[in-house]
């Protein structure tokens, strides 16, 4: 990647704003989301991004009205995941009976994938078709190989940084392989390097602030007790 390309990326990030608040896999957990949004306000984030599975269409309906009200108030943007895929587009009568209109109003704002500056957001790796719910679920007996999935993501899109949810853990890689960083510590992105980052689940007490100007991702604990497992 050339120096000129890197300079243009930095310019686009500054135009976007310097901080993004990231949540993912909220799964209708309103308390954890409210805590995350409070942390984002303290850090003066410019935009809130949700990386899918915001509402759980299968496991629980409790919390969904509060979650959508919070995100609509925050003017959040984001993508859908496998658990909330059925709550956008043509919604079934069963779902319409279970959830208030605000849920569908928020889900109508979500996209299959989202690009901000030179950052790509999708619920799973960019090689997955987000319009194919079977690919979003990916029920497989094979062991999870995130290095291979990151490699597919790097091949699928050109953005310098990719962020996904779905896997309920913190994890990162460059095209050279997995990147290790201390539990809960900020991850500093090296200049001109490409990154694939899995963001920890908000329903399990995690969120993050992505500082585009400082090229840094800061994991934040938003759970009700002591920080849980980082991995």
């Amino acid at each position: 990647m050339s120096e000129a390309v890197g300079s243009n990326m930095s310019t686009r990030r500054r135009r976007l704003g310097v901080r993004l608040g990231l949540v993912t896999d909220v799964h209708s957990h309103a308390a954890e989301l409210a805590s995350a949004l409070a942390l984002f306000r303290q850090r003066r984030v410019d935009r809130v991004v949700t990386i899918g599975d915001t509402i759980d269409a299968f496991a629980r309906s409790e919390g969904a009205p509060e979650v959508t009200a919070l995100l609509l108030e925050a003017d959040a943007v984001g993508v859908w995941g496998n658990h909330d895929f059925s709550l956008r587009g043509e919604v079934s009568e069963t779902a319409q009976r279970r959830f208030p209109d605000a849920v569908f109003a928020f889900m109508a704002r979500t996209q299959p994938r989202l690009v901000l500056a030179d950052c790509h957001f999708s619920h799973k790796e960019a090689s997955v078709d987000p319009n194919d719910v079977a690919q979003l679920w990916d029920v497989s007996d094979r062991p999870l190989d995130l290095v291979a999935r990151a490699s597919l993501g790097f091949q699928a899109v050109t953005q310098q940084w990719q962020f996904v949810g779905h896997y309920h853990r913190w994890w990162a890689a460059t095209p050279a392989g997995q990147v290790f960083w201390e539990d809960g510590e900020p991850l500093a992105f090296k200049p001109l390097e490409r990154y694939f980052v899995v963001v920890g689940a908000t329903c399990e007490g995690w969120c993050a602030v992505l500082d585009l100007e400082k090229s840094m991702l800061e994991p934040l604990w938003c759970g009700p007790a002591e920080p849980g497992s980082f991995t």
Side-chain angles (χ1 to χ4, degrees), residues 36-61:
L37 294 175
L39 291 169
F40 296 162
R41 288 192 293 272
Q42 291 173 11
R43 285 160 173 76
R44 300 181 182 278
V45 303
D46 299 287
R47 172 149 286 182
V48 176
V49 178
T50 177
I51 319 179
D53 282 3
T54 303
I55 305 298
D56 198 320
F58 303 97
R60 50 184 282 158
S61 59

mmCIF file with all atom_site columns, all heavy atoms in Angstrom, residues 36-61:
data_model
loop_
_atom_site.group_PDB
_atom_site.id
_atom_site.type_symbol
_atom_site.label_atom_id
_atom_site.label_alt_id
_atom_site.label_comp_id
_atom_site.label_asym_id
_atom_site.label_entity_id
_atom_site.label_seq_id
_atom_site.pdbx_PDB_ins_code
_atom_site.Cartn_x
_atom_site.Cartn_y
_atom_site.Cartn_z
_atom_site.occupancy
_atom_site.B_iso_or_equiv
_atom_site.pdbx_formal_charge
_atom_site.auth_seq_id
_atom_site.auth_comp_id
_atom_site.auth_asym_id
_atom_site.auth_atom_id
_atom_site.pdbx_PDB_model_num
ATOM 1   N N   . ALA A 1 36 ? -23.199 0.805   27.653 1.00 0.00 ? 36 ALA A N   1
ATOM 2   C CA  . ALA A 1 36 ? -22.272 1.089   26.551 1.00 0.00 ? 36 ALA A CA  1
ATOM 3   C C   . ALA A 1 36 ? -22.489 2.497   26.016 1.00 0.00 ? 36 ALA A C   1
ATOM 4   O O   . ALA A 1 36 ? -21.529 3.250   25.791 1.00 0.00 ? 36 ALA A O   1
ATOM 5   C CB  . ALA A 1 36 ? -22.448 0.065   25.440 1.00 0.00 ? 36 ALA A CB  1
ATOM 6   N N   . LEU A 1 37 ? -23.745 2.870   25.816 1.00 0.00 ? 37 LEU A N   1
ATOM 7   C CA  . LEU A 1 37 ? -24.037 4.198   25.280 1.00 0.00 ? 37 LEU A CA  1
ATOM 8   C C   . LEU A 1 37 ? -23.622 5.293   26.249 1.00 0.00 ? 37 LEU A C   1
ATOM 9   O O   . LEU A 1 37 ? -23.181 6.377   25.822 1.00 0.00 ? 37 LEU A O   1
ATOM 10  C CB  . LEU A 1 37 ? -25.527 4.305   24.944 1.00 0.00 ? 37 LEU A CB  1
ATOM 11  C CG  . LEU A 1 37 ? -26.009 3.392   23.811 1.00 0.00 ? 37 LEU A CG  1
ATOM 12  C CD1 . LEU A 1 37 ? -27.518 3.501   23.643 1.00 0.00 ? 37 LEU A CD1 1
ATOM 13  C CD2 . LEU A 1 37 ? -25.297 3.705   22.504 1.00 0.00 ? 37 LEU A CD2 1
ATOM 14  N N   . ALA A 1 38 ? -23.737 5.029   27.542 1.00 0.00 ? 38 ALA A N   1
ATOM 15  C CA  . ALA A 1 38 ? -23.266 6.005   28.534 1.00 0.00 ? 38 ALA A CA  1
ATOM 16  C C   . ALA A 1 38 ? -21.754 6.189   28.437 1.00 0.00 ? 38 ALA A C   1
ATOM 17  O O   . ALA A 1 38 ? -21.247 7.318   28.520 1.00 0.00 ? 38 ALA A O   1
ATOM 18  C CB  . ALA A 1 38 ? -23.665 5.547   29.937 1.00 0.00 ? 38 ALA A CB  1
ATOM 19  N N   . LEU A 1 39 ? -21.041 5.090   28.254 1.00 0.00 ? 39 LEU A N   1
ATOM 20  C CA  . LEU A 1 39 ? -19.581 5.177   28.071 1.00 0.00 ? 39 LEU A CA  1
ATOM 21  C C   . LEU A 1 39 ? -19.246 5.953   26.808 1.00 0.00 ? 39 LEU A C   1
ATOM 22  O O   . LEU A 1 39 ? -18.295 6.753   26.787 1.00 0.00 ? 39 LEU A O   1
ATOM 23  C CB  . LEU A 1 39 ? -18.978 3.771   28.000 1.00 0.00 ? 39 LEU A CB  1
ATOM 24  C CG  . LEU A 1 39 ? -18.998 2.960   29.298 1.00 0.00 ? 39 LEU A CG  1
ATOM 25  C CD1 . LEU A 1 39 ? -18.617 1.511   29.016 1.00 0.00 ? 39 LEU A CD1 1
ATOM 26  C CD2 . LEU A 1 39 ? -18.037 3.559   30.316 1.00 0.00 ? 39 LEU A CD2 1
ATOM 27  N N   . PHE A 1 40 ? -20.027 5.735   25.748 1.00 0.00 ? 40 PHE A N   1
ATOM 28  C CA  . PHE A 1 40 ? -19.778 6.457   24.496 1.00 0.00 ? 40 PHE A CA  1
ATOM 29  C C   . PHE A 1 40 ? -20.002 7.958   24.675 1.00 0.00 ? 40 PHE A C   1
ATOM 30  O O   . PHE A 1 40 ? -19.250 8.773   24.120 1.00 0.00 ? 40 PHE A O   1
ATOM 31  C CB  . PHE A 1 40 ? -20.684 5.931   23.390 1.00 0.00 ? 40 PHE A CB  1
ATOM 32  C CG  . PHE A 1 40 ? -20.437 4.495   23.010 1.00 0.00 ? 40 PHE A CG  1
ATOM 33  C CD1 . PHE A 1 40 ? -21.402 3.772   22.311 1.00 0.00 ? 40 PHE A CD1 1
ATOM 34  C CD2 . PHE A 1 40 ? -19.249 3.855   23.339 1.00 0.00 ? 40 PHE A CD2 1
ATOM 35  C CE1 . PHE A 1 40 ? -21.179 2.458   21.944 1.00 0.00 ? 40 PHE A CE1 1
ATOM 36  C CE2 . PHE A 1 40 ? -19.016 2.536   22.984 1.00 0.00 ? 40 PHE A CE2 1
ATOM 37  C CZ  . PHE A 1 40 ? -19.986 1.841   22.285 1.00 0.00 ? 40 PHE A CZ  1
ATOM 38  N N   . ARG A 1 41 ? -21.026 8.320   25.444 1.00 0.00 ? 41 ARG A N   1
ATOM 39  C CA  . ARG A 1 41 ? -21.270 9.755   25.685 1.00 0.00 ? 41 ARG A CA  1
ATOM 40  C C   . ARG A 1 41 ? -20.118 10.368  26.459 1.00 0.00 ? 41 ARG A C   1
ATOM 41  O O   . ARG A 1 41 ? -19.695 11.497  26.185 1.00 0.00 ? 41 ARG A O   1
ATOM 42  C CB  . ARG A 1 41 ? -22.589 9.944   26.418 1.00 0.00 ? 41 ARG A CB  1
ATOM 43  C CG  . ARG A 1 41 ? -23.824 9.685   25.550 1.00 0.00 ? 41 ARG A CG  1
ATOM 44  C CD  . ARG A 1 41 ? -25.082 10.151  26.226 1.00 0.00 ? 41 ARG A CD  1
ATOM 45  N NE  . ARG A 1 41 ? -25.399 9.377   27.421 1.00 0.00 ? 41 ARG A NE  1
ATOM 46  C CZ  . ARG A 1 41 ? -26.119 8.260   27.417 1.00 0.00 ? 41 ARG A CZ  1
ATOM 47  N NH1 . ARG A 1 41 ? -26.620 7.781   26.282 1.00 0.00 ? 41 ARG A NH1 1
ATOM 48  N NH2 . ARG A 1 41 ? -26.380 7.623   28.540 1.00 0.00 ? 41 ARG A NH2 1
ATOM 49  N N   . GLN A 1 42 ? -19.597 9.630   27.438 1.00 0.00 ? 42 GLN A N   1
ATOM 50  C CA  . GLN A 1 42 ? -18.458 10.133  28.214 1.00 0.00 ? 42 GLN A CA  1
ATOM 51  C C   . GLN A 1 42 ? -17.255 10.378  27.313 1.00 0.00 ? 42 GLN A C   1
ATOM 52  O O   . GLN A 1 42 ? -16.499 11.331  27.524 1.00 0.00 ? 42 GLN A O   1
ATOM 53  C CB  . GLN A 1 42 ? -18.090 9.131   29.309 1.00 0.00 ? 42 GLN A CB  1
ATOM 54  C CG  . GLN A 1 42 ? -19.107 8.999   30.418 1.00 0.00 ? 42 GLN A CG  1
ATOM 55  C CD  . GLN A 1 42 ? -18.765 7.884   31.384 1.00 0.00 ? 42 GLN A CD  1
ATOM 56  O OE1 . GLN A 1 42 ? -17.654 7.326   31.346 1.00 0.00 ? 42 GLN A OE1 1
ATOM 57  N NE2 . GLN A 1 42 ? -19.698 7.527   32.240 1.00 0.00 ? 42 GLN A NE2 1
ATOM 58  N N   . ARG A 1 43 ? -17.086 9.519   26.330 1.00 0.00 ? 43 ARG A N   1
ATOM 59  C CA  . ARG A 1 43 ? -15.941 9.628   25.426 1.00 0.00 ? 43 ARG A CA  1
ATOM 60  C C   . ARG A 1 43 ? -16.258 10.432  24.166 1.00 0.00 ? 43 ARG A C   1
ATOM 61  O O   . ARG A 1 43 ? -15.454 10.507  23.258 1.00 0.00 ? 43 ARG A O   1
ATOM 62  C CB  . ARG A 1 43 ? -15.437 8.231   25.059 1.00 0.00 ? 43 ARG A CB  1
ATOM 63  C CG  . ARG A 1 43 ? -14.653 7.589   26.216 1.00 0.00 ? 43 ARG A CG  1
ATOM 64  C CD  . ARG A 1 43 ? -14.567 6.099   26.073 1.00 0.00 ? 43 ARG A CD  1
ATOM 65  N NE  . ARG A 1 43 ? -13.677 5.517   27.078 1.00 0.00 ? 43 ARG A NE  1
ATOM 66  C CZ  . ARG A 1 43 ? -14.001 5.355   28.355 1.00 0.00 ? 43 ARG A CZ  1
ATOM 67  N NH1 . ARG A 1 43 ? -15.203 5.722   28.785 1.00 0.00 ? 43 ARG A NH1 1
ATOM 68  N NH2 . ARG A 1 43 ? -13.143 4.825   29.218 1.00 0.00 ? 43 ARG A NH2 1
ATOM 69  N N   . ARG A 1 44 ? -17.455 10.991  24.114 1.00 0.00 ? 44 ARG A N   1
ATOM 70  C CA  . ARG A 1 44 ? -17.861 11.887  23.030 1.00 0.00 ? 44 ARG A CA  1
ATOM 71  C C   . ARG A 1 44 ? -17.675 11.244  21.656 1.00 0.00 ? 44 ARG A C   1
ATOM 72  O O   . ARG A 1 44 ? -17.030 11.822  20.765 1.00 0.00 ? 44 ARG A O   1
ATOM 73  C CB  . ARG A 1 44 ? -17.102 13.219  23.114 1.00 0.00 ? 44 ARG A CB  1
ATOM 74  C CG  . ARG A 1 44 ? -17.332 13.977  24.419 1.00 0.00 ? 44 ARG A CG  1
ATOM 75  C CD  . ARG A 1 44 ? -16.596 15.291  24.441 1.00 0.00 ? 44 ARG A CD  1
ATOM 76  N NE  . ARG A 1 44 ? -16.781 15.993  25.700 1.00 0.00 ? 44 ARG A NE  1
ATOM 77  C CZ  . ARG A 1 44 ? -17.837 16.748  26.017 1.00 0.00 ? 44 ARG A CZ  1
ATOM 78  N NH1 . ARG A 1 44 ? -18.809 16.914  25.131 1.00 0.00 ? 44 ARG A NH1 1
ATOM 79  N NH2 . ARG A 1 44 ? -17.916 17.353  27.187 1.00 0.00 ? 44 ARG A NH2 1
ATOM 80  N N   . VAL A 1 45 ? -18.240 10.051  21.486 1.00 0.00 ? 45 VAL A N   1
ATOM 81  C CA  . VAL A 1 45 ? -18.147 9.414   20.178 1.00 0.00 ? 45 VAL A CA  1
ATOM 82  C C   . VAL A 1 45 ? -18.984 10.194  19.170 1.00 0.00 ? 45 VAL A C   1
ATOM 83  O O   . VAL A 1 45 ? -19.978 10.842  19.516 1.00 0.00 ? 45 VAL A O   1
ATOM 84  C CB  . VAL A 1 45 ? -18.591 7.936   20.223 1.00 0.00 ? 45 VAL A CB  1
ATOM 85  C CG1 . VAL A 1 45 ? -17.788 7.144   21.236 1.00 0.00 ? 45 VAL A CG1 1
ATOM 86  C CG2 . VAL A 1 45 ? -20.077 7.797   20.474 1.00 0.00 ? 45 VAL A CG2 1
ATOM 87  N N   . ASP A 1 46 ? -18.564 10.138  17.921 1.00 0.00 ? 46 ASP A N   1
ATOM 88  C CA  . ASP A 1 46 ? -19.252 10.858  16.859 1.00 0.00 ? 46 ASP A CA  1
ATOM 89  C C   . ASP A 1 46 ? -20.394 10.050  16.251 1.00 0.00 ? 46 ASP A C   1
ATOM 90  O O   . ASP A 1 46 ? -21.327 10.626  15.700 1.00 0.00 ? 46 ASP A O   1
ATOM 91  C CB  . ASP A 1 46 ? -18.254 11.235  15.758 1.00 0.00 ? 46 ASP A CB  1
ATOM 92  C CG  . ASP A 1 46 ? -17.171 12.149  16.300 1.00 0.00 ? 46 ASP A CG  1
ATOM 93  O OD1 . ASP A 1 46 ? -17.460 13.321  16.560 1.00 0.00 ? 46 ASP A OD1 1
ATOM 94  O OD2 . ASP A 1 46 ? -16.032 11.665  16.468 1.00 0.00 ? 46 ASP A OD2 1
ATOM 95  N N   . ARG A 1 47 ? -20.304 8.725   16.344 1.00 0.00 ? 47 ARG A N   1
ATOM 96  C CA  . ARG A 1 47 ? -21.344 7.882   15.761 1.00 0.00 ? 47 ARG A CA  1
ATOM 97  C C   . ARG A 1 47 ? -21.328 6.528   16.456 1.00 0.00 ? 47 ARG A C   1
ATOM 98  O O   . ARG A 1 47 ? -20.273 6.007   16.813 1.00 0.00 ? 47 ARG A O   1
ATOM 99  C CB  . ARG A 1 47 ? -21.116 7.708   14.263 1.00 0.00 ? 47 ARG A CB  1
ATOM 100 C CG  . ARG A 1 47 ? -22.025 6.691   13.585 1.00 0.00 ? 47 ARG A CG  1
ATOM 101 C CD  . ARG A 1 47 ? -22.300 7.052   12.160 1.00 0.00 ? 47 ARG A CD  1
ATOM 102 N NE  . ARG A 1 47 ? -23.232 8.171   12.063 1.00 0.00 ? 47 ARG A NE  1
ATOM 103 C CZ  . ARG A 1 47 ? -23.666 8.666   10.902 1.00 0.00 ? 47 ARG A CZ  1
ATOM 104 N NH1 . ARG A 1 47 ? -23.236 8.171   9.769  1.00 0.00 ? 47 ARG A NH1 1
ATOM 105 N NH2 . ARG A 1 47 ? -24.530 9.659   10.883 1.00 0.00 ? 47 ARG A NH2 1
ATOM 106 N N   . VAL A 1 48 ? -22.535 5.964   16.629 1.00 0.00 ? 48 VAL A N   1
ATOM 107 C CA  . VAL A 1 48 ? -22.683 4.619   17.198 1.00 0.00 ? 48 VAL A CA  1
ATOM 108 C C   . VAL A 1 48 ? -22.961 3.647   16.063 1.00 0.00 ? 48 VAL A C   1
ATOM 109 O O   . VAL A 1 48 ? -23.824 3.891   15.206 1.00 0.00 ? 48 VAL A O   1
ATOM 110 C CB  . VAL A 1 48 ? -23.828 4.572   18.231 1.00 0.00 ? 48 VAL A CB  1
ATOM 111 C CG1 . VAL A 1 48 ? -24.032 3.147   18.735 1.00 0.00 ? 48 VAL A CG1 1
ATOM 112 C CG2 . VAL A 1 48 ? -23.533 5.519   19.398 1.00 0.00 ? 48 VAL A CG2 1
ATOM 113 N N   . VAL A 1 49 ? -22.225 2.536   16.059 1.00 0.00 ? 49 VAL A N   1
ATOM 114 C CA  . VAL A 1 49 ? -22.367 1.509   15.024 1.00 0.00 ? 49 VAL A CA  1
ATOM 115 C C   . VAL A 1 49 ? -22.669 0.175   15.700 1.00 0.00 ? 49 VAL A C   1
ATOM 116 O O   . VAL A 1 49 ? -21.957 -0.233  16.626 1.00 0.00 ? 49 VAL A O   1
ATOM 117 C CB  . VAL A 1 49 ? -21.078 1.371   14.186 1.00 0.00 ? 49 VAL A CB  1
ATOM 118 C CG1 . VAL A 1 49 ? -21.234 0.257   13.153 1.00 0.00 ? 49 VAL A CG1 1
ATOM 119 C CG2 . VAL A 1 49 ? -20.737 2.687   13.513 1.00 0.00 ? 49 VAL A CG2 1
ATOM 120 N N   . THR A 1 50 ? -23.709 -0.506  15.245 1.00 0.00 ? 50 THR A N   1
ATOM 121 C CA  . THR A 1 50 ? -24.004 -1.851  15.733 1.00 0.00 ? 50 THR A CA  1
ATOM 122 C C   . THR A 1 50 ? -23.689 -2.858  14.635 1.00 0.00 ? 50 THR A C   1
ATOM 123 O O   . THR A 1 50 ? -24.032 -2.641  13.467 1.00 0.00 ? 50 THR A O   1
ATOM 124 C CB  . THR A 1 50 ? -25.463 -1.987  16.206 1.00 0.00 ? 50 THR A CB  1
ATOM 125 O OG1 . THR A 1 50 ? -25.703 -3.348  16.608 1.00 0.00 ? 50 THR A OG1 1
ATOM 126 C CG2 . THR A 1 50 ? -26.459 -1.585  15.139 1.00 0.00 ? 50 THR A CG2 1
ATOM 127 N N   . ILE A 1 51 ? -23.024 -3.947  15.006 1.00 0.00 ? 51 ILE A N   1
ATOM 128 C CA  . ILE A 1 51 ? -22.491 -4.878  14.008 1.00 0.00 ? 51 ILE A CA  1
ATOM 129 C C   . ILE A 1 51 ? -23.336 -6.164  13.955 1.00 0.00 ? 51 ILE A C   1
ATOM 130 O O   . ILE A 1 51 ? -22.824 -7.247  13.710 1.00 0.00 ? 51 ILE A O   1
ATOM 131 C CB  . ILE A 1 51 ? -21.001 -5.176  14.275 1.00 0.00 ? 51 ILE A CB  1
ATOM 132 C CG1 . ILE A 1 51 ? -20.245 -3.918  14.685 1.00 0.00 ? 51 ILE A CG1 1
ATOM 133 C CG2 . ILE A 1 51 ? -20.345 -5.736  13.014 1.00 0.00 ? 51 ILE A CG2 1
ATOM 134 C CD1 . ILE A 1 51 ? -18.777 -4.143  14.975 1.00 0.00 ? 51 ILE A CD1 1
ATOM 135 N N   . GLY A 1 52 ? -24.638 -6.026  14.183 1.00 0.00 ? 52 GLY A N   1
ATOM 136 C CA  . GLY A 1 52 ? -25.545 -7.150  13.962 1.00 0.00 ? 52 GLY A CA  1
ATOM 137 C C   . GLY A 1 52 ? -25.963 -7.905  15.201 1.00 0.00 ? 52 GLY A C   1
ATOM 138 O O   . GLY A 1 52 ? -25.357 -7.797  16.266 1.00 0.00 ? 52 GLY A O   1
ATOM 139 N N   . ASP A 1 53 ? -27.034 -8.694  15.038 1.00 0.00 ? 53 ASP A N   1
ATOM 140 C CA  . ASP A 1 53 ? -27.679 -9.413  16.153 1.00 0.00 ? 53 ASP A CA  1
ATOM 141 C C   . ASP A 1 53 ? -28.060 -8.442  17.266 1.00 0.00 ? 53 ASP A C   1
ATOM 142 O O   . ASP A 1 53 ? -27.901 -8.737  18.452 1.00 0.00 ? 53 ASP A O   1
ATOM 143 C CB  . ASP A 1 53 ? -26.784 -10.538 16.675 1.00 0.00 ? 53 ASP A CB  1
ATOM 144 C CG  . ASP A 1 53 ? -26.822 -11.774 15.788 1.00 0.00 ? 53 ASP A CG  1
ATOM 145 O OD1 . ASP A 1 53 ? -27.501 -11.736 14.745 1.00 0.00 ? 53 ASP A OD1 1
ATOM 146 O OD2 . ASP A 1 53 ? -26.165 -12.762 16.128 1.00 0.00 ? 53 ASP A OD2 1
ATOM 147 N N   . THR A 1 54 ? -28.567 -7.298  16.874 1.00 0.00 ? 54 THR A N   1
ATOM 148 C CA  . THR A 1 54 ? -28.991 -6.291  17.838 1.00 0.00 ? 54 THR A CA  1
ATOM 149 C C   . THR A 1 54 ? -30.214 -6.779  18.605 1.00 0.00 ? 54 THR A C   1
ATOM 150 O O   . THR A 1 54 ? -30.289 -6.665  19.828 1.00 0.00 ? 54 THR A O   1
ATOM 151 C CB  . THR A 1 54 ? -29.320 -4.973  17.109 1.00 0.00 ? 54 THR A CB  1
ATOM 152 O OG1 . THR A 1 54 ? -28.170 -4.562  16.368 1.00 0.00 ? 54 THR A OG1 1
ATOM 153 C CG2 . THR A 1 54 ? -29.705 -3.886  18.084 1.00 0.00 ? 54 THR A CG2 1
ATOM 154 N N   . ILE A 1 55 ? -31.184 -7.315  17.884 1.00 0.00 ? 55 ILE A N   1
ATOM 155 C CA  . ILE A 1 55 ? -32.379 -7.895  18.469 1.00 0.00 ? 55 ILE A CA  1
ATOM 156 C C   . ILE A 1 55 ? -32.327 -9.405  18.250 1.00 0.00 ? 55 ILE A C   1
ATOM 157 O O   . ILE A 1 55 ? -31.898 -9.870  17.199 1.00 0.00 ? 55 ILE A O   1
ATOM 158 C CB  . ILE A 1 55 ? -33.659 -7.329  17.802 1.00 0.00 ? 55 ILE A CB  1
ATOM 159 C CG1 . ILE A 1 55 ? -33.661 -5.804  17.871 1.00 0.00 ? 55 ILE A CG1 1
ATOM 160 C CG2 . ILE A 1 55 ? -34.911 -7.906  18.456 1.00 0.00 ? 55 ILE A CG2 1
ATOM 161 C CD1 . ILE A 1 55 ? -33.662 -5.225  19.259 1.00 0.00 ? 55 ILE A CD1 1
ATOM 162 N N   . ASP A 1 56 ? -32.776 -10.159 19.267 1.00 0.00 ? 56 ASP A N   1
ATOM 163 C CA  . ASP A 1 56 ? -32.811 -11.607 19.124 1.00 0.00 ? 56 ASP A CA  1
ATOM 164 C C   . ASP A 1 56 ? -34.234 -12.029 18.780 1.00 0.00 ? 56 ASP A C   1
ATOM 165 O O   . ASP A 1 56 ? -35.123 -11.978 19.628 1.00 0.00 ? 56 ASP A O   1
ATOM 166 C CB  . ASP A 1 56 ? -32.348 -12.284 20.411 1.00 0.00 ? 56 ASP A CB  1
ATOM 167 C CG  . ASP A 1 56 ? -31.962 -13.729 20.186 1.00 0.00 ? 56 ASP A CG  1
ATOM 168 O OD1 . ASP A 1 56 ? -32.667 -14.415 19.424 1.00 0.00 ? 56 ASP A OD1 1
ATOM 169 O OD2 . ASP A 1 56 ? -30.951 -14.166 20.751 1.00 0.00 ? 56 ASP A OD2 1
ATOM 170 N N   . ALA A 1 57 ? -34.437 -12.426 17.537 1.00 0.00 ? 57 ALA A N   1
ATOM 171 C CA  . ALA A 1 57 ? -35.772 -12.793 17.074 1.00 0.00 ? 57 ALA A CA  1
ATOM 172 C C   . ALA A 1 57 ? -36.197 -14.177 17.542 1.00 0.00 ? 57 ALA A C   1
ATOM 173 O O   . ALA A 1 57 ? -37.347 -14.564 17.361 1.00 0.00 ? 57 ALA A O   1
ATOM 174 C CB  . ALA A 1 57 ? -35.822 -12.745 15.549 1.00 0.00 ? 57 ALA A CB  1
ATOM 175 N N   . PHE A 1 58 ? -35.287 -14.924 18.181 1.00 0.00 ? 58 PHE A N   1
ATOM 176 C CA  . PHE A 1 58 ? -35.565 -16.309 18.520 1.00 0.00 ? 58 PHE A CA  1
ATOM 177 C C   . PHE A 1 58 ? -35.621 -16.563 20.026 1.00 0.00 ? 58 PHE A C   1
ATOM 178 O O   . PHE A 1 58 ? -36.524 -17.232 20.507 1.00 0.00 ? 58 PHE A O   1
ATOM 179 C CB  . PHE A 1 58 ? -34.496 -17.223 17.896 1.00 0.00 ? 58 PHE A CB  1
ATOM 180 C CG  . PHE A 1 58 ? -34.391 -17.062 16.412 1.00 0.00 ? 58 PHE A CG  1
ATOM 181 C CD1 . PHE A 1 58 ? -33.424 -16.234 15.865 1.00 0.00 ? 58 PHE A CD1 1
ATOM 182 C CD2 . PHE A 1 58 ? -35.264 -17.711 15.566 1.00 0.00 ? 58 PHE A CD2 1
ATOM 183 C CE1 . PHE A 1 58 ? -33.323 -16.069 14.490 1.00 0.00 ? 58 PHE A CE1 1
ATOM 184 C CE2 . PHE A 1 58 ? -35.183 -17.550 14.189 1.00 0.00 ? 58 PHE A CE2 1
ATOM 185 C CZ  . PHE A 1 58 ? -34.209 -16.722 13.648 1.00 0.00 ? 58 PHE A CZ  1
ATOM 186 N N   . ALA A 1 59 ? -34.663 -16.037 20.766 1.00 0.00 ? 59 ALA A N   1
ATOM 187 C CA  . ALA A 1 59 ? -34.518 -16.426 22.162 1.00 0.00 ? 59 ALA A CA  1
ATOM 188 C C   . ALA A 1 59 ? -35.362 -15.600 23.125 1.00 0.00 ? 59 ALA A C   1
ATOM 189 O O   . ALA A 1 59 ? -35.833 -16.097 24.127 1.00 0.00 ? 59 ALA A O   1
ATOM 190 C CB  . ALA A 1 59 ? -33.058 -16.362 22.582 1.00 0.00 ? 59 ALA A CB  1
ATOM 191 N N   . ARG A 1 60 ? -35.544 -14.301 22.832 1.00 0.00 ? 60 ARG A N   1
ATOM 192 C CA  . ARG A 1 60 ? -36.221 -13.446 23.793 1.00 0.00 ? 60 ARG A CA  1
ATOM 193 C C   . ARG A 1 60 ? -36.789 -12.221 23.079 1.00 0.00 ? 60 ARG A C   1
ATOM 194 O O   . ARG A 1 60 ? -36.201 -11.738 22.125 1.00 0.00 ? 60 ARG A O   1
ATOM 195 C CB  . ARG A 1 60 ? -35.266 -13.001 24.902 1.00 0.00 ? 60 ARG A CB  1
ATOM 196 C CG  . ARG A 1 60 ? -33.965 -12.423 24.388 1.00 0.00 ? 60 ARG A CG  1
ATOM 197 C CD  . ARG A 1 60 ? -33.016 -12.077 25.515 1.00 0.00 ? 60 ARG A CD  1
ATOM 198 N NE  . ARG A 1 60 ? -33.392 -10.828 26.164 1.00 0.00 ? 60 ARG A NE  1
ATOM 199 C CZ  . ARG A 1 60 ? -33.023 -10.500 27.396 1.00 0.00 ? 60 ARG A CZ  1
ATOM 200 N NH1 . ARG A 1 60 ? -32.315 -11.339 28.108 1.00 0.00 ? 60 ARG A NH1 1
ATOM 201 N NH2 . ARG A 1 60 ? -33.359 -9.357  27.924 1.00 0.00 ? 60 ARG A NH2 1
ATOM 202 N N   . SER A 1 61 ? -37.928 -11.770 23.568 1.00 0.00 ? 61 SER A N   1
ATOM 203 C CA  . SER A 1 61 ? -38.478 -10.509 23.087 1.00 0.00 ? 61 SER A CA  1
ATOM 204 C C   . SER A 1 61 ? -38.311 -9.416  24.122 1.00 0.00 ? 61 SER A C   1
ATOM 205 O O   . SER A 1 61 ? -38.380 -8.225  23.807 1.00 0.00 ? 61 SER A O   1
ATOM 206 C CB  . SER A 1 61 ? -39.957 -10.665 22.715 1.00 0.00 ? 61 SER A CB  1
ATOM 207 O OG  . SER A 1 61 ? -40.702 -11.107 23.831 1.00 0.00 ? 61 SER A OG  1
#
